[in-house]
């Protein structure tokens, strides 16, 4: 049996010319990639932002905090204030002034009445103390964010300083660089900064810290949002995570809750001024946390059937990374065994921050 196959003719010259179509530098790099992972890295595909809460969705401690040289508090989760000079300070608060509807909130800094020399500290945890991981020595990383001034501050300068660190006030700087002098337009502007990871991480380092601030004092208002740190030379579109995922990431370091319950325990009689409370954690915390108890809050615990009670002292009796176990003392004598819960006005704070 004979099989005959027919195929339409084509112009060989035209087909050859198609091979010369421009594909650009990045296209050439992609065509030369030997593995799927190499191709993904070239276009910064997949999960990429190493900064937690970079779009400032989570504010467990509250949406307005006044910082001074001594206090150095957290504002939005994972963002700690570092006032570098005596007398410096500012009010940091949540704002809806944003560069586009891509973002919901920004971090507002108001230094009115203060020395404006202050910085924001953003930590990225290392996988192991003294190790560069998840960073790769010799590789370039790109840090980007949006910033806006009040239209009057033509002199202030953003300084981005990445460093290996184990505390807020110390560390080994990878590099120091003046990034950008604000134009004074009062408009949002994007800052992009690249740095190379150094291999000389100190043996005690627990995180890579990025400090953003000023090398000049300024009295006024400015805003930040859209913080992203990614591997590679590209500043790509911002990676948005859901509110629930971002909250869980933040709660590994800090958790605030009134979801506590327990009972009055014995104190050499059938009545007692002591109560034990247990608080489950939604995620395993980074380390066994420190606690801040609401012992200064009146009516901080409700004893069922016996009304509210005010406990003035307390402490930890077995808190670990998975849950808090707390005792309160100094309350009015109530019946042993009475079921008790934290009141909504009396949250316990658990901190395992870097």
């Amino acid at each position: 049996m004979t099989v005959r196959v027919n195929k339409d003719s084509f112009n060989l010259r035209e087909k050859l010319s198609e091979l010369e179509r421009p594909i650009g530098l990045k296209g050439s790099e992609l065509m030369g990639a030997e593995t799927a992972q190499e191709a993904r890295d070239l276009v910064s595909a997949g999960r990429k932002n190493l900064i937690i809460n970079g779009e400032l969705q989570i504010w467990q401690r509250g949406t307005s905090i006044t910082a001074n040289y001594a206090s150095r508090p957290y504002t939005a989760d994972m963002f700690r204030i570092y006032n570098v000079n005596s007398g410096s300070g500012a009010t940091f608060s949540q704002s809806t002034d944003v560069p586009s509807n891509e973002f919901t909130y920004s971090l507002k800094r108001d230094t009115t009445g203060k020395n404006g020399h202050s910085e924001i500290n953003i930590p990225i945890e290392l996988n192991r103390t003294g190790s560069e991981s998840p960073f790769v020595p010799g590789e370039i990383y790109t840090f980007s964010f949006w910033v806006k001034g009040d239209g009057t501050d033509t002199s202030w300068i953003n300084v981005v300083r990445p460093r290996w660190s184990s505390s807020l006030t110390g560390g080994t700087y990878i590099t120091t660089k003046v990034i950008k002098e604000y134009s004074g337009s009062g408009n949002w502007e994007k800052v992009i900064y690249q740095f190379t990871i150094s291999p000389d991480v100190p043996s005690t380092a627990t995180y890579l810290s990025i400090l953003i601030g000023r090398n000049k004092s300024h009295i006024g208002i400015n805003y930040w949002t859209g913080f992203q740190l990614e591997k590679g030379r590209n500043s790509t579109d911002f990676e948005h995570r859901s509110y629930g995922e971002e909250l869980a990431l933040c709660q590994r370091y800090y958790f605030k809750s009134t979801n506590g319950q327990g009972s009055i325990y014995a104190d050499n009689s059938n009545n007692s001024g002591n109560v034990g409370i247990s608080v489950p954690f939604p995620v395993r915390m980074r380390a066994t946390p420190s606690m801040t108890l609401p012992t200064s809050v009146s009516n901080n615990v409700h004893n069922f059937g016996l009304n509210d009670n005010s406990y003035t002292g307390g402490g930890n009796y077995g808190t670990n990374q998975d849950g808090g176990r707390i005792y309160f003392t100094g309350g009015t004598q109530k019946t042993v065994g009475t079921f008790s819960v934290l009141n909504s006005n009396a949250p316990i704070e658990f901190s395992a921050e870097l």
Side-chain angles (χ1 to χ4, degrees):
M1 181 178 69
T2 302
V3 177
R4 179 175 295 176
V5 178
N6 294 321
K7 183 176 177 63
D8 294 338
S9 62
F10 62 88
N11 189 312
L12 180 60
R13 190 180 300 276
E14 289 181 357
K15 292 295 182 181
L16 290 173
S17 67
E18 291 179 1
L19 298 177
E20 299 176 359
R21 289 178 180 176
I23 58 176
L25 178 61
K26 187 59 65 176
S28 297
E29 292 178 353
L30 282 171
M31 290 180 66
E34 295 184 355
T35 65
Q37 184 59 53
E38 185 178 350
R40 287 168 60 86
D41 290 343
L42 284 168
V43 296
S44 300
R47 306 307 297 266
K48 58 190 177 183
N49 192 0
L50 295 168
I51 293 175
I52 296 174
N53 201 27
E55 57 182 316
L56 305 165
Q57 295 187 81
I58 312 301
W59 301 69
Q60 292 188 83
R61 294 172 175 85
T63 56
S64 182
I65 293 174
T66 298
N68 56 45
Y69 176 70
S71 64
R72 300 174 178 177
Y74 285 88
T75 172
D77 280 47
M78 305 304 293
F79 287 77
R80 190 175 182 184
I81 309 309
Y82 179 30
N83 297 294
V84 294
N85 286 340
S86 179
S88 60
T91 297
F92 294 83
S93 59
Q94 183 188 83
S95 172
T96 55
D97 190 332
V98 291
S100 69
N101 59 10
E102 178 183 5
F103 301 103
T104 304
Y105 300 115
S106 64
L107 175 60
K108 175 182 177 182
R109 176 174 63 177
D110 186 350
T111 58
T112 303
K114 297 282 187 180
N115 177 336
H117 198 155
S118 60
E119 294 179 298
I120 300 173
N121 179 66
I122 309 170
I124 300 96
E125 184 181 1
L126 302 179
N127 290 340
R128 176 172 54 83
T129 299
S131 168
E132 301 91 349
S133 179
F135 300 96
V136 180
E139 292 287 340
I140 293 176
Y141 286 75
T142 299
F143 176 58
S144 60
F145 60 94
W146 287 88
V147 63
K148 175 184 174 182
D150 56 16
T152 63
D153 52 349
T154 58
S155 65
W156 70 266
I157 297 177
N158 277 305
V159 179
V160 176
R161 299 191 294 166
R163 66 181 184 181
W164 303 117
S165 188
S166 58
S167 67
L168 178 64
T169 58
T172 301
Y173 288 100
I174 296 174
T175 182
T176 299
K177 183 168 182 175
V178 175
I179 298 302
K180 179 174 188 176
E181 184 168 351
Y182 184 66
S183 67
S185 66
N187 298 320
W188 282 97
E189 298 178 11
K190 188 174 183 179
V191 173
I192 300 172
Y193 170 53
Q194 294 178 345
F195 61 94
T196 302
I197 292 295
S198 63
D200 55 345
V201 57
S203 61
T204 57
T206 55
Y207 62 96
L208 184 144
S209 165
I210 296 182
L211 291 171
I212 306 174
R214 306 169 185 266
N215 65 351
K216 296 181 180 179
S217 296
H218 167 72
I219 307 302
I221 297 172
N222 64 277
Y223 307 81
W224 291 285
T225 195
F227 296 93
Q228 182 154 286
L229 177 64
E230 55 192 311
K231 182 182 175 183
R233 299 174 179 272
N234 304 317
S235 173
T236 63
D237 291 342
F238 188 84
E239 179 190 359
H240 296 277
R241 291 187 282 254
S242 71
Y243 181 91
E245 181 179 359
E246 206 76 79
L247 177 62
L249 291 171
C250 291
Q251 287 176 331
R252 184 170 183 270
Y253 301 91
Y254 175 85
F255 176 54
K256 181 177 181 180
S257 179
T258 58
N259 183 28
Q261 61 185 39
S263 62
I264 297 173
Y265 62 87
D267 186 17
N268 300 320
S269 68
N270 289 328
N271 294 319
S272 173
N274 307 328
V275 66
I277 295 290
S278 177
V279 179
F281 296 160
V283 298
R284 169 169 270 219
M285 300 196 75
R286 182 187 69 87
T288 298
S290 61
M291 298 186 305
T292 301
L293 302 179
T295 50
S296 62
V297 178
S298 298
N299 299 321
N300 45 25
V301 174
H302 182 76
N303 305 133
F304 271 73
L306 301 175
N307 301 318
D308 293 337
N309 204 341
S310 299
Y311 294 89
T312 58
N316 162 49
Y317 73 94
T319 294
N320 56 37
Q321 291 175 268
D322 299 308
R325 301 188 186 98
I326 304 100
Y327 65 87
F328 288 95
T329 61
T332 302
Q333 296 278 316
K334 299 293 178 71
T335 304
V336 169
T338 300
F339 180 66
S340 303
V341 297
L342 286 171
N343 271 328
S344 59
N345 67 329
I348 300 176
E349 298 179 61
F350 300 91
S351 177
E353 298 280 9
L354 291 162

